Structure formats: structure tokens, C-alpha cells
Amino acid sequence: AADLAPLHLLALTAGFHVVTANKLPLSGTLADYRALVAARDSTGVSYGYETTFGAGLPVLHTLKELVATGDELVAVSGCFSGTLGYLCTVLQDGMDPLDAVRRAAELGYTEPDPREDLSGRDVARKAVIIARAMGMPLEPDDVELTPFVPGLEAGLEAALVSWRGPLRQLLHDADEQGAVLRYVAEVTREGVRVGLVAVPAGSAIGAVRGPDNILVFRTRRYSDNPLVIRGPGAGAVVTAAGVLGDVLRIVR
């Protein structure tokens, strides 16, 4: 999560292909995003950023193909963070929040600073990338964001300790309703919302466990039966494979 937008712009303007797993350049201000796209288009190079989203899952490729073939996207929703998906699972199983975050970091799921994940900013950036791929002129501040863990400005450990009680209540209330907690993003033409919600345990989103991502595409073609993409959304191996896939697309 380094601010490499100026470097990407320089490379694209100079005629270099760019492949990245970094969300920041693609989810910054709309003006900066449009400058990157314009530089790519003017030099005719490729800008591969499939792995900014869902590690190796073919999310953006699928989305762009739907748009390019004339389909109309109504909504994209789901769990966009392998890190938070893993945390939802182990917290539901009774693990303490502090231990859960430490374990997620040890497994290589979190950003170098876990607060990027726990604040919801990482998911919000992915939602911005999705929205822009749908043709929405979205600014980062347009996302209605509720953090996964509140109070992070007080420090990571303090926030997690303070969250223990409210989390237990949220888990209890969800269980009473036959539901589970999931950190869900929803992108529609009306706006973008990101937050922790209770979803039916038997639903497509509720059935996701561990670091899997799930995306549910509702379109004009896929209205009665939405198009669902599901698979690992975090981890070095699947992310590296996704980056290599973008490189190979350029080579071919």
C-alpha cells in the first residue's frame, strides 16, 4: 500500500507496460485515476491490476468483459477481503480478537499495518476500483464506510481490547437470528457501502469461510441467477500467480 501513482503515471507515459497488486494508485482521487487511464490509452500499453482485487481470482477481467459485451451491471456485492473473511471465521469460532489479528498477520493475510484491513480502508479501495470499472465516477470519500474494528485511532491493541464486549454481543445477536457476521461491500449505481453486517448463515455470502472472497454480480443477463465468483482472496502464492497471469497476458 505505497503511493506509487506518480511512478505508474511516469512509466505509462513513457510507454512501459505496468502490472501491479497495489490498490492505492487505482483508488486515489478520480483525477489521478483518469490521468493513469489516459496515459495508458495514449501510449497503447497495458495496465494490469487484476490482483488489486481478490488475489488470483478473475474478478476485474470478468467485470470488464461483461461491460465490453454490452451487459448492464446492476450491483456487485460480497466479501472483498480475505483477511477480514478469515477474521470473521475465527472470531465466530470463539478466538480472541487480539489472537485472531496476530494469527492473520503470521499467515501473511494482513497488510503490513493491520489497521489498513481493520479500518475497512482496504475493502473501500477495492470497492472504488470495482465501481470505476463499472463506469462510476466515484471519489474515495463517496464510500459509506463503517470500520471492521472501531476506535483504531487509539492504537491497535487498545481498539481490539475495547471491541471484545461489543463483538460478543454482535456475534450473539447474529446467532440468535440464524445469521453470521461478514464484512460486506455493496456497489450499486446509487452508491457504495462497506461494513460489518449479519447475513443468513445459509446464504452464498454467509457460507464463505476463511480467507475466501466472494463476489456476486447482478446484471441484466444475470438477474434471476447472479454470477458468483469465489475463491482464495489472500495469501502470497495466489497473489503472485495473479501478478504472473497479468504479465503473461501482456507477453501473449
Side-chain angles (χ1 to χ4, degrees):
D3 185 12
L4 296 182
L7 178 60
H8 287 192
L9 182 61
L10 181 65
L12 293 166
T13 302
F16 285 90
H17 302 293
V18 175
V19 169
T20 185
N22 185 349
K23 289 174 282 293
L24 279 185
L26 282 304
S27 60
T29 67
L30 187 59
D32 286 348
Y33 171 77
R34 285 174 169 166
L36 290 167
V37 171
R40 176 201 66 191
D41 293 345
S42 67
T43 54
V45 294
S46 294
Y47 194 15
Y49 51 91
E50 182 71 62
T51 46
T52 59
F53 199 109
L57 298 178
V59 174
L60 295 171
H61 176 75
T62 301
L63 178 58
K64 290 175 182 177
E65 193 168 88
L66 289 170
V67 173
T69 56
D71 203 352
E72 181 183 349
L73 282 150
V74 177
V76 180
S77 61
C79 298
F80 295 0
S81 169
T83 305
L84 299 186
Y86 169 80
L87 291 175
C88 282
T89 299
V90 296
L91 292 170
Q92 180 185 327
D93 292 342
M95 188 179 287
D96 180 78
L98 268 173
D99 294 335
V101 171
R102 289 186 184 124
R103 182 60 180 149
E106 290 168 1
L107 290 169
Y109 292 156
T110 69
E111 293 289 329
D113 182 352
R115 289 175 297 181
E116 289 295 311
D117 299 292
L118 301 176
S119 66
R121 288 191 296 264
D122 183 67
V123 173
R125 289 176 188 135
K126 293 172 183 177
V128 167
I129 293 171
I130 282 281
R132 288 174 175 173
M134 290 171 62
M136 295 171 60
L138 194 77
E139 292 285 3
D141 290 342
D142 293 334
V143 177
E144 185 182 323
L145 171 64
T146 303
F148 184 76
V149 177
L152 287 166
E153 59 276 1
L156 178 59
E157 186 168 336
L160 289 169
V161 170
S162 298
W163 193 47
R164 281 176 179 147
L167 172 64
R168 279 196 294 269
Q169 188 62 51
L170 288 170
L171 289 167
H172 172 76
D173 292 345
D175 187 59
E176 288 282 296
Q177 302 167 27
V180 292
L181 296 180
R182 295 291 182 264
Y183 199 74
V184 177
E186 185 174 12
V187 181
T188 69
R189 295 294 175 184
E190 287 69 47
V192 179
R193 291 190 303 274
V194 174
L196 190 64
V197 297
V199 300
S203 66
I205 292 175
V208 172
R209 289 183 60 84
D212 275 10
N213 279 186
I214 185 169
L215 290 98
V216 181
F217 292 86
R218 293 188 180 276
T219 75
R220 182 168 47 79
R221 292 185 196 138
Y222 297 95
S223 55
D224 295 334
N225 296 298
L227 174 62
V228 177
I229 297 176
R230 176 179 173 178
V237 173
V238 289
T239 302
V243 171
L244 180 58
D246 271 343
V247 171
L248 292 176
R249 272 189 282 274
I250 291 170
V251 172
R252 291 182 185 128

